[in-house]
Amino acid sequence: MSTLTALRDVTFERNLSLRKLKGKLFEIIAFFAILLGIAMLLTLLIDVFLDGLPWISTKLITEFPSRFPDKAGLRSALQGSVWLMVLTAVMAIPIGVGAGIYLEEFAPQNRITRFIEINVANLAGVPSIIYGLLGLGLFVRQLGLGRTLIAGAMTMALLVLPIIIVTTREAIRAVPQSIRQAALALGATDWEVSRDHVLVYSAPAIMTGIILAMSRAIGETAPLITIGALTYIAFDPKGPFDIFTVLPIQIFNWVSLPNPDFHGLAAAGIIILLAVLLSMNALAIWLRNRLQIRW
Amino acid sequence: MDNNHVVLETKNLNVFYGNFLAIKDVNFQVFRNQITAIIGPSGCGKSTLLRSFNRMNELVPSARSEGKILFNGEDIYDPTIDPVEVRRKIGMVFQKPNPFPKSIYENIAWGLKINGFRGSKSEMDDLVEQALRGAALWDEVKDKLDQSGLSLSGGQQQRLCIARAIAIKPEVILMDEPASALDPIATLKIEDLMRELKENYTIVIVTHNMQEAARVSDYTAMMMLTGEGERSGTVIEFDRTNIIFTRPKDKRTEDYITGRFG
Amino acid sequence: MTTTIQSLKSQNHLKRDREKKIVRALTFVFALLSVGTTAGIIYELLNETILFFREVSIIEFFTDTRWTPLFASKRFGVLPLVNGTLLVAAGAMLVAVPLGLLAAIFLSEYASERLRRILKPILEILAGIPTVVYGYFALLFITPILRDLFPETQIFNAASASIAMGFMILPLMASVSEDALSAVPRSLREAAYAMGATKFETATQVVLPAALSGVAAAFILAVSRAIGETMIVAIAAGQQPKLTLNPLQSVETMTAYIVQVSLGDTPHQSIAYKTIFAVGMLLFVMTLVMNIISYFVTKRFREKYE
């Protein structure tokens, strides 16, 4: 009885409208945080376009780098990037997808598996320049490959491997368990289930992950500088054992020069790089929306 | 009991999930070309028992079993026997229809391919047709074999799954509540189909629908939770279906059946 | 029907079995390659680092206040590089943490499903832009503005790199925090609403504290990313290793130093070659420790709610 009276005596100063106002204010501020991020993105894009557009020309694609801005182009860098991407993809895709299948479909639940999983998670967080030091010590020096495309591609493959493994696992996990059971109940081995069902149905999502991994690789600069990818290459790379340069390194090189004309060239190079990235991402989104099976 | 040929037989079967004894001391037989129903309240281990017959239980990492399951006298849990071979001979139809997201044709052809079918295209066509006819689906799909299995209705999907299972000519078909996700008309079709299928196959069906068990099965195994704290399931009574449903020997069976029938 | 009973053992599927075993073994080797990569990194870094410490005392490395391995009078105090690294990273966190956290709260608590589906991918673009582009932007767009505002700003300075890096890390901070906020059970929010709390009070006083360890994990992950980031600092922050807290001055980070040495033609046996591995080792250990902490914080957070 007494507690009830006591309760009745408490006066609440609820002032709901003030509390709601505070909430509204916070919502607006939080929304502006996102807008600020988007505004920064737009500023960056516009800045690059304004700087680079005057330098976009066919010469950019047909000419080798040069001391003279009006004669300089990205020919060797573009070819180097294409070579590097192809070589990286050839190594990283089968290994990454394979490791993803193993961890998701075959691996027993034991210490070795857990150890591998922790390893993959950790590798995804290792700074890219550390991969460069690994490539420098292992591929360039110890394996004696020198500063070649193949050494760069091996370094890059190790760098994107964790991304491919993780996205492959996510893609595979989206295939319902009931499909695996249906196939196993027909007398299939676990590999046949993976080969004819799991991989087939998750292929669009795996492809999406691979494209994202490759778009990470195409913009990556630091590890290639570390293994010593040269910046001045005035010939077309002929094979995996040629020395090379790539698009982002050429951009870096031009940014570092004091002459503002080279900054324009760098911006033009960035436009090309971003255009390539944009088309890769568009392809990834298209794959995801068009080909993905909805369960 | 009569002297039909015994296809499947469990001997003192215990199945554990980790330390948890899910079903214990199960002893019963499945006779050739008969439909055997496993009934009982939910959670009593009906599906666990069914999945022991084709070693699908092993897909749960913590699962292990003791005792024997004899298939034509051979222990399917013998270490020298590959579960793949067991599943080839003992097919399964699941609770929810789970066709592959491939064409209707491929849904059936795949099982034949992995199991070593090396015939010509026209032989394969024949086998696909046979399986679809066997599952009473041929007339409905013969003009759209290249369409996705997912484009069919639920009942058709389930018959496609049955066609897929019988295409590889198993001896036994395990059915885990095959009609529970279907409407009454589709359910009747599946039940009719089961009666036809038993001419050539042995069927074990799990159901929690007792009318269904009474309608389609020849034999019935009644499962209940028993043991310490009533946590482990076991078969408390096994007999001809008409006996189970009219003169059960076990009081618990009678209570369960009459309780449900109201 | 007459059935000939075949033994289960009689079937011959050796070929299928072999294929399965080969694939299992091969994919296992592929998975093991990740362990090999880690081992390779540690081996390569350790190898040269040990050679480095044969020539330079470990005490000098960690206590000397000057870093001049490329000069005639060589000093090997790594502190200026660490200072530069932490200064730039701290500046980046000043941008990324408040913005990322606000963005996360907005996306998880306020935004409609439709709005979230539009905003999130746009924010993710920020994380997908190559870092060399951010470097360009920091040096040629942010720095001139800074120099207008603060005339004492040096051409290469920590602040411009920090700002660009902050926006690059924002999506990471936002998405990991948002995951943590979204993982807070609905029942907790309902409990707060049932007591008469407003949405704002629920979000900041109930949901955010409940998700704090997840947000902490996002923070650590973001710091680790900032410390390892290379191209932005190599382009915009300069190459002057010094002990300063002034963000308007030129500094050098550990990563920028590795780039500086790599750009020159450094002979294999030289001390300069060894320094980049010693610095790399320190960087690797720093990020590794942070990744491990974040891993365990996240794990504990997940266990709490799953």
Side-chain angles (χ1 to χ4, degrees), chain A residues 109 177-190 192-193 195-197 200-201 293-295, chain B residues 51 54 56 59 61 84 87-88 90-92 94 98-102 110-111 114-115 150 164-165 168:
Chain A
Q109 286 188 348
Q177 210 55 38
S178 64
I179 293 293
R180 292 181 182 83
Q181 297 200 347
L184 286 170
L186 288 170
T189 64
D190 51 7
E192 285 162 344
V193 177
R195 184 193 63 197
D196 294 350
H197 297 286
V200 175
Y201 311 144
I293 296 167
R294 276 173 240 296
W295 299 99
Chain B
R51 282 158 180 263
N54 64 346
M56 290 293 276
L59 303 176
V84 166
R87 293 172 195 147
R88 151 83 188 77
I90 304 176
M92 189 166 208
F94 296 80
N98 54 357
F100 301 129
K102 296 178 185 273
W110 187 74
I114 57 152
N115 283 299
L150 291 175
R164 180 175 71 184
I168 58 170

Side-chain angles (χ1 to χ4, degrees), chain C residues 181-203:
Chain C
L181 293 169
S182 310
V184 172
R186 207 187 156 76
S187 59
L188 215 58
R189 289 184 181 83
E190 285 170 351
Y193 288 136
M195 293 182 69
T198 63
K199 200 169 194 173
F200 168 60
E201 288 156 351
T202 307

Side-chain angles (χ1 to χ4, degrees), chain A residues 5 10-11 14 45 79 100 105 118 120 148 164 181 197:
Chain A
T5 9
V10 178
T11 47
R14 296 185 60 228
L45 293 178
Q79 293 191 20
E105 300 287 312
I118 291 175
V120 172
T148 54
I164 298 183
Q181 297 200 347
H197 297 286

Side-chain angles (χ1 to χ4, degrees), chain A residues 87-89 91-92 95 131 152-162 164:
Chain A
L87 290 172
T88 303
M91 288 184 278
I95 296 176
Y131 285 92
M154 285 163 98
T155 307
M156 220 43 124
L158 292 183
L159 176 75
V160 297
L161 218 45
I164 298 183

Side-chain angles (χ1 to χ4, degrees), chain B residues 51-250:
Chain B
R51 282 158 180 263
S52 303
F53 288 132
N54 64 346
R55 295 182 64 172
M56 290 293 276
N57 263 348
E58 284 166 38
L59 303 176
V60 181
S62 66
R64 85 198 142 81
S65 53
E66 291 169 354
K68 281 185 177 174
I69 297 181
L70 303 179
F71 175 57
N72 294 325
E74 204 172 0
D75 185 7
I76 64 168
Y77 281 92
D78 187 285
T80 61
I81 284 177
D82 191 331
V84 166
E85 201 50 50
V86 175
R87 293 172 195 147
R88 151 83 188 77
K89 297 278 182 56
I90 304 176
M92 189 166 208
V93 176
F94 296 80
Q95 191 168 357
K96 270 201 195 143
N98 54 357
F100 301 129
K102 296 178 185 273
S103 70
I104 292 169
Y105 185 95
E106 271 300 313
N107 258 282
I108 290 159
W110 187 74
L112 293 163
K113 279 184 206 155
I114 57 152
N115 283 299
F117 176 78
R118 293 284 175 275
S120 67
K121 172 83 171 71
S122 63
E123 282 175 278
M124 177 65 97
D125 292 348
D126 285 346
L127 288 174
V128 170
E129 180 177 340
Q130 253 180 48
L132 285 168
R133 281 189 191 282
L137 190 60
W138 173 252
D139 291 333
E140 290 159 69
V141 301
K142 62 184 175 202
D143 300 322
K144 48 179 184 180
L145 291 176
D146 54 344
Q147 283 184 22
S148 166
L150 291 175
S151 67
L152 299 174
S153 74
Q156 289 173 324
Q157 287 189 9
Q158 195 62 304
R159 277 179 283 144
L160 178 61
C161 292
I162 293 173
R164 180 175 71 184
I166 61 178
I168 58 170
K169 306 264 188 299
E171 282 187 47
V172 182
I173 305 170
L174 308 173
M175 296 188 170
D176 190 354
E177 305 197 25
S180 66
L182 306 179
D183 63 62
I185 294 170
T187 301
L188 283 179
K189 276 193 183 160
I190 300 276
E191 288 179 9
D192 286 343
L193 177 57
M194 285 168 67
R195 284 186 206 102
E196 282 172 37
L197 287 173
K198 78 172 189 178
E199 300 290 315
N200 294 312
Y201 305 94
T202 306
I203 296 175
V204 184
I205 175 175
V206 159
T207 178
H208 58 217
N209 178 338
M210 276 179 300
Q211 289 98 320
E212 184 169 84
R215 280 197 299 266
V216 299
S217 71
D218 304 298
Y219 287 87
T220 297
M222 176 72 209
M223 285 188 81
M224 277 278 174
L225 288 173
T226 56
E228 203 182 322
E230 307 221 315
R231 291 171 66 221
S232 308
T234 194
V235 172
I236 57 164
E237 189 168 2
F238 173 62
D239 214 323
R240 284 194 162 278
T241 299
N242 53 17
I243 294 178
I244 292 273
F245 279 89
T246 53
R247 308 185 295 280
K249 295 186 188 70
D250 194 299

